[in-house]
Amino acid sequence: MRYGHFDDERREYVIGQPDTPLPWINYLGTEEYFGIVSNTAGGYSFYRDARLRRLTRYRYNNVPLDSGGRYVYLRDNGSGDFWSPSWQPTRSELDAYECRHGLSYTTIASARGGIRSETLYFVPLRENLEVWRVRVTNERDAAADLSLFSAIEFCLWDAQDDATNYQRNYSTGQVELVDGVIYHKTEYRERRDHFAYFACSEPLAGYDTQRGTFLGPYRGWDRPAAVERGQSFDSVAHGWAPMGSHHVRLSLAPGETREVIFLLGYWENPRDAKFDPPGSQTVNKTLVRPVIERWLTPEAVAGGFAELRASWDSMLAVMQVNSPDTDTDRMVNIWNAYQSMVTFNMSRSASSFESGIGRGMGFRDSNQDLLGFVHIVPERARQRILDIAATQLPTGGAYHQYQPLTKRGNNDIGSGFNDDPLWLITGVAAYLKETGDLSILDEQVPYDNDESAATPLYEHLQRSLRYTLDRLGPHGLPLIGRADWNDCLNLNCFSETPGEPFQTTENKDGGVAESVFIAGLFALAARELAGIAEACDRPADAAEYRSAGEKMAGTIAEHGWDGAWFRRAFDYHGNVIGSGENDEGQIFIEPQGMCIIGGVGVENGMAVQALASVRERLATEHGIVLQQPAYSRYRVELGEISSYPPGYKENAGVFCHTNPWLMIAEAMVGNGDGAFDYYRRINPSARENISELHRCEPYVYAQMIAGKDAPTHGEAKNSWLTGTAAWNYVAITQWILGIRPDFGGLRIDPVLPAAWEGFSASRKFQGITYDITVRKAAGVRGRVRHLMVDGRRVEGNQLPPAPAGSVVRVEAVIEE
Ligand code: BGC
Ligand code: NOJ
């Protein structure tokens, strides 16, 4: 069953009913001001940091689901009937409803009793504000006397404190109302720099800024007293819960449409502003006022919206494909690229499943996210790399995460995740292959943000690799530390006495457990760093790294191979994990993917055998599960992985992030049917028809789909902020369609399903536009061995340099 449809032409997902299985959300903002908006206008906004600069309040895990957001209410002053045009929060019956989630904007249109409305939400480029453009049309035969109310609840900036520290916060809230603009100025007095504002384009019939007054005692957002009675209370918040609500009266003739604009924005006056006496009670509006005035005009809004759309058109134009599969095209051309950009902006901070206060930017996550957007905004990828690297520790190790506002590493969830540093190499390699910009390697980058200890970025990469080599375990495999990619495989959580809880934190991070996955990742990172070294003319380094990678591959073959698949790890006691010897957790997906991507066993048949084992033991119709058999009981020596019920998350869920590794591995061994088959199993668009089972948004990937051991097999969770986005994008565009940046130029190396007869694509790369056509006869399985470039034959699959700005025609034929 579907709850909507894709409008590929307009690059929108159109939701046809408000009560989707879960709130289906979208993101507003592309630079520093962001918001989440659901199909019923739920969500919140923040400036740069969802934890430290939260503009509006949102209560997670609330009932009813997804209450709190950017609401407007309409009231028919004749009958007293009032409703939410976004359905929530009044949930009044609507005669029509349609939500269109587009690229960084959302519109919600509906009708009730002959009154139609459409609200557009977006954040204009370069501005720290969001626009709500509300259009109300009277479709009745008679004039309509209406009231329009806006409503948001302010958050007192630090979302964590806001949700817990009531003894203080009930007394700190402050607002100011000047010329119809509501200024939320809590904390302004001591900081004198930032505030929020909520403005309206129309003269006000009233306003409210105290939540308790607007709603009325013991009432919710579904029946605010002000809306019910048709008149604001003109309340001013002193402490308690500051909110913003405007009341506008609209008298509409039959057929008449009126446009009302609301602006919600964040403002930071320059710290040294002369006009601001320290400790001032009053928000200084000198600089913000012209901005507000400008964006309250319909011309500015229309122009800003057109500019936003055009910017997405140009970002997406970097890679467009026309293949025989619609689900592939719409994911590659629109939604997967978009989700990759959103994960770039959000990391794992704010979604329906990430509360914005729990996690900042992950070291490994951000490096992997790069893979999905580096071609779209290379200059921002460059900055991101430098930010991440500046949090690296002098040992080459890493904080597991850092806070976006301060860019400082934190130890909130500990450190010692021993895979972390290696991802920096893969991220930088992706950047270099895409851009050819070797200058980044010479950038002086601090360690742990200490400028006095800076080295060129290249040395950071060297230390990353060295970090692994300095930490090899009894089998010569990398020590896992606290955990590797699989945060929940906590193998140093040992207990001398079976059944007892694990011992100290030191043991958790510092034990002798080893990871075959990190070994595979090391093989990949060593190869990538060798490529980087060659590109910047350091042949001795390149040779050293290649041989380190080969040595690790040998160690994997010796100790990490279980006969028909790659093993997962050795635990604190030296017991093997992910082996036929185990009763549960015999085979894991991660080392199969990563060892093969690292090149291990590709030549000697191990890879093909491992892939056959995956197909036989791990693949389901809803994707490939993480391991089998699922753990049926808690095991102290394995940690959190065994704490999940079977079939969920790391305990044998379909952890979608890992599936593309298998798609890539299949492509690497030339199995296009296998790769594409896995691709379609988790492609959200291809799952749209089972939305009642999948439940999450059909336009973006979710982190997890419940595995075959779960009673809800096929149900997705944790949509949006997941490495799944970047890796699927890489798998389909670079390995299946085969348009792959490499040192020295773009490669055209597709590995297609046998039934396809080719595809075409347009790819902008280093200032050149390539118009690519790939052809093959149906039934053929094979590779490209030469290219026709503007009619000239080029051997192999790598494109030669071309003049910047040129448009190059590339034809490739796949032969058996
Ligand atoms: C989850 C992981 C996640 C980790 C973050 C765990 O509970 O299962 O998927 O990466 O938390 O700290
Ligand atoms: C989600 C985390 O963000 C990611 O870093 C981790 O690799 C996976 N969970 C698997 O545990």
Side-chain angles (χ1 to χ4, degrees), residues 40-97:
T40 58
Y44 60 95
S45 300
F46 58 94
Y47 169 72
R48 284 182 55 191
D49 192 316
R51 172 166 176 176
L52 299 176
R53 286 285 188 284
R54 183 84 64 99
L55 262 82
T56 57
R57 194 173 273 162
Y58 187 78
R59 292 173 191 78
Y60 275 90
N61 207 357
N62 206 346
V63 283
L65 206 55
D66 187 34
S67 340
R70 299 173 186 79
Y71 293 142
V72 296
Y73 299 86
L74 277 168
R75 182 176 188 275
D76 181 341
N77 293 330
S79 64
D81 181 40
F82 66 90
W83 69 98
S84 301
S86 55
W87 190 61
Q88 288 253 58
T90 67
R91 291 182 300 284
S92 318
E93 199 171 316
L94 297 168
D95 303 331
Y97 163 91

Side-chain angles (χ1 to χ4, degrees), residues 347-348 354 359 362-366 368 400 417 419-420 423 483-489 590 626 649-650 655 657-658 661 703 718 721-723:
S347 193
R348 302 297 172 270
E354 301 283 5
R359 301 162 73 187
F363 193 96
R364 81 155 81 88
D365 291 339
S366 297
Q368 290 173 82
H400 195 50
F417 294 82
D419 63 316
D420 272 338
W423 295 110
D484 60 21
W485 173 89
N486 188 331
D487 286 323
C488 300
L489 195 60
E590 307 99 303
L626 194 141
K649 294 280 284 184
E650 282 86 342
F655 216 103
H657 185 141
T658 59
W661 297 340
Q703 180 203 61
N718 300 5
L721 304 184
T722 160

Side-chain angles (χ1 to χ4, degrees), residues 63-260:
V63 283
L65 206 55
D66 187 34
S67 340
R70 299 173 186 79
Y71 293 142
V72 296
Y73 299 86
L74 277 168
R75 182 176 188 275
D76 181 341
N77 293 330
S79 64
D81 181 40
F82 66 90
W83 69 98
S84 301
S86 55
W87 190 61
Q88 288 253 58
T90 67
R91 291 182 300 284
S92 318
E93 199 171 316
L94 297 168
D95 303 331
Y97 163 91
E98 186 181 86
C99 168
R100 288 179 170 261
H101 283 319
L103 305 180
S104 306
Y105 68 87
T106 287
T107 61
I108 302 177
S110 68
R112 178 174 164 104
I115 304 299
R116 183 168 292 276
S117 76
E118 183 192 286
T119 307
L120 163 70
Y121 299 99
F122 76 100
V123 176
L125 298 181
R126 300 176 299 282
E127 299 289 355
N128 292 323
L129 60 86
E130 63 187 67
V131 173
W132 312 1
R133 186 188 66 191
V134 186
R135 285 185 173 150
V136 186
T137 305
N138 176 13
E139 293 183 334
R140 299 175 183 164
D141 298 335
D145 172 23
L146 306 173
S147 279
L148 174 68
F149 294 87
S150 62
I152 49 127
E153 193 178 351
F154 289 113
C155 179
L156 309 185
W157 302 116
D158 179 336
Q160 166 83 30
D161 190 71
D162 182 74
T164 47
N165 195 4
Y166 303 109
Q167 63 80 22
R168 177 172 202 276
N169 294 337
Y170 282 163
S171 294
T172 56
Q174 282 186 302
V175 295
E176 193 179 322
L177 190 105
V178 183
D179 298 335
V181 181
I182 297 165
Y183 295 90
H184 174 227
K185 60 177 183 178
T186 305
E187 286 193 358
Y188 185 73
R189 238 155 43 106
E190 67 266 32
R191 294 185 198 252
R192 303 186 308 285
D193 54 359
H194 64 83
F195 56 88
Y197 56 89
F198 193 32
C200 173
S201 61
E202 302 302 300
L204 300 189
Y207 61 88
D208 275 296
T209 65
Q210 181 59 276
R211 188 190 69 201
T213 313
F214 174 76
L215 295 180
Y218 293 96
R219 286 177 178 232
W221 296 102
D222 56 336
R223 211 160 52 91
V227 178
E228 191 178 76
R229 75 171 194 160
Q231 184 58 53
S232 299
F233 293 94
D234 297 351
S235 59
V236 177
H238 303 286
W240 297 112
M243 63 152 329
S245 173
H246 308 94
H247 176 196
V248 175
R249 282 191 88 121
L250 300 171
S251 293
L252 298 185
E256 186 183 351
T257 298
R258 285 279 291 283
E259 187 170 301
V260 181

Side-chain angles (χ1 to χ4, degrees), residues 209-343:
T209 65
Q210 181 59 276
R211 188 190 69 201
T213 313
F214 174 76
L215 295 180
Y218 293 96
R219 286 177 178 232
W221 296 102
D222 56 336
R223 211 160 52 91
V227 178
E228 191 178 76
R229 75 171 194 160
Q231 184 58 53
S232 299
F233 293 94
D234 297 351
S235 59
V236 177
H238 303 286
W240 297 112
M243 63 152 329
S245 173
H246 308 94
H247 176 196
V248 175
R249 282 191 88 121
L250 300 171
S251 293
L252 298 185
E256 186 183 351
T257 298
R258 285 279 291 283
E259 187 170 301
V260 181
I261 299 161
F262 297 100
L263 298 182
L264 173 64
Y266 174 85
W267 192 264
E268 225 173 80
N269 277 327
R271 289 245 159 181
D272 57 353
K274 299 274 184 302
F275 51 69
D276 221 1
S280 168
Q281 282 278 4
T282 311
V283 164
N284 192 305
K285 304 157 193 81
T286 319
L287 300 176
V288 74
R289 204 53 235 191
V291 176
I292 296 177
E293 272 157 27
R294 165 155 189 255
W295 286 102
L296 285 177
T297 62
E299 301 71 40
V301 167
F305 186 51
E307 195 190 15
L308 176 68
R309 295 201 71 166
S311 100
W312 272 111
D313 288 348
S314 80
M315 285 196 279
L316 296 183
V318 176
M319 168 88 199
Q320 289 288 298
V321 58
N322 185 353
S323 84
D325 184 61
T326 311
D327 299 307
T328 299
D329 290 0
R330 76 163 58 107
M331 290 312 291
V332 169
N333 295 340
I334 308 168
W335 294 99
N336 195 357
Y338 179 54
Q339 186 180 2
S340 296
M341 285 299 291
V342 171
T343 53

